[in-house]
Amino acid sequence: MDKKDRQILRELQRDGRLTNAELAERVNLSPSPCLRRVRNLEKAGVIDRYVAIVDREAAGYPVTAFVQVTLARHDREVVDTFERRVRDTPEILSCHLLTGSSDYLLQIVVPGLDAYEDFMRKTLHTTPGIATINTSFVYGTIKETVELP
């Protein structure tokens, strides 16, 4: 990747709906070489996919929680069951495997506290192999971005 590829990535991260002509103009390329570079970035896996960023509150999910999960055991069956449940649960936006005192950090969105309680009772509490769950609710966001530097 060179400087021009990084410029293309920066612009697409800011606005993924740019037409190729608009993108080419912003990065000072003609459209054909610009499109070729974008296709190469896609083919190389640098550009994974294009998405719309949805406002959580406007979409009806104003409550965000970060949940630390520690497993009771780390045998393959427990880990696979937990990770499969995470992948299949739409309220879980992200799951990170951690070092330190917890095994996983989950980012969860729900419409309200009643929905969170329901989520806990029906999803996490019914998942075998979990030893501890520690929840922190978000009451303000200082910075949130998907743009890489």
Side-chain angles (χ1 to χ4, degrees):
M1 264 194 335
D2 62 13
K3 183 178 177 182
K4 200 54 76 175
D5 289 336
R6 292 188 191 287
Q7 288 176 327
I8 289 170
L9 292 173
R10 184 179 59 244
E11 293 301 328
L12 286 175
Q13 285 182 105
R14 290 180 180 159
D15 185 355
R17 293 185 66 173
L18 289 172
T19 65
N20 184 59
E22 291 168 330
L23 179 60
E25 185 177 320
R26 288 188 187 190
V27 299
N28 201 23
L29 281 174
S30 60
S32 290
C34 184
L35 183 59
R36 198 168 27 255
R37 283 175 175 268
V38 170
R39 296 291 181 243
N40 287 340
L41 290 166
E42 292 169 346
K43 188 176 177 182
V46 176
I47 296 174
D48 182 47
R49 64 188 178 273
Y50 298 89
V51 298
I53 299 173
V54 178
D55 182 283
R56 293 175 192 164
E57 196 162 330
Y61 293 91
V63 176
T64 300
F66 286 94
V67 178
Q68 294 176 321
V69 175
T70 304
L71 299 180
R73 298 180 328 275
H74 296 91
D75 59 72
R76 181 55 34 208
E77 183 180 342
V78 169
V79 170
D80 287 349
T81 299
F82 176 78
E83 291 181 1
R84 189 175 322 103
R85 174 71 59 98
V86 165
R87 279 190 219 82
D88 293 342
T89 305
E91 294 88 352
I92 301 174
L93 297 186
S94 64
C95 175
H96 305 277
L97 188 58
L98 304 175
T99 62
S101 60
S102 298
D103 296 318
Y104 296 92
L105 178 65
L106 310 177
Q107 182 181 16
I108 297 167
V109 293
V110 289
L113 293 179
D114 289 345
Y116 181 75
E117 179 183 2
D118 191 56
F119 167 82
M120 290 300 287
R121 290 180 186 270
K122 292 180 179 173
T123 303
L124 284 188
H125 290 167
T126 62
T127 304
I130 294 178
T132 63
I133 299 170
N134 184 343
T135 301
S136 296
F137 289 100
V138 173
Y139 69 92
T141 299
I142 309 307
K143 179 180 180 179
E144 183 172 60
T145 185
V146 294
E147 290 182 39
L148 294 177

